[in-house]
Amino acid sequence: QPPTITCPTVPTAGTDAGVCNASVSFLPATFHDNCAGTSVAASSSLYHNSVFPLGQSNVSYVATDARGNNASCSTVVTVIDDEDPVITCSALALSTSTGLCTSPVVL
């Protein structure tokens, strides 16, 4: 009989400060089998406690028992950019042209 496996539900994560990715921690998949010797492994390069890029990433797990029966599940990790942009403005001091109340400005 194949093992049973349950993937975690992962909340949406905001990007880490100053970068376009997020360190996301969540529990790995849980599994159960009627016989001892079952193991679970992530079948994708990203898994719990990884740094995820902006957007959606699939995380898949496979549980395999001692007889080679397996079961799989997957979950989606969503990373959103929730950091406001920062703009720096410099002071601008101008002198007017002689006899005029205006000055040309080139930005």
Side-chain angles (χ1 to χ4, degrees):
Q1 159 178 351
T4 59
I5 187 169
T6 303
C7 270
T9 300
V10 182
T12 296
T15 54
D16 294 340
V19 295
C20 286
N21 54 43
S23 298
V24 182
S25 297
F26 53 94
L27 295 174
T30 57
F31 60 92
H32 176 75
D33 193 54
N34 60 335
C35 295
T38 302
S39 63
V40 66
S43 62
S44 53
S45 61
L46 295 171
Y47 50 92
H48 62 282
N49 305 329
S50 290
V51 176
F52 289 85
L54 193 61
Q56 293 187 328
S57 300
N58 290 317
V59 178
S60 300
Y61 293 93
V62 176
T64 305
D65 67 15
R67 302 284 295 164
N69 299 316
N70 60 56
S72 62
C73 68
S74 62
T75 191
V76 175
V77 176
T78 301
V79 175
I80 59 169
D81 182 2
D82 60 353
E83 188 173 345
D84 292 331
V86 176
I87 187 169
T88 303
C89 298
S90 58
L92 183 62
L94 300 172
S95 298
T96 59
S97 300
T98 305
L100 299 174
C101 292
T102 61
S103 179
V105 176
V106 178
L107 299 175

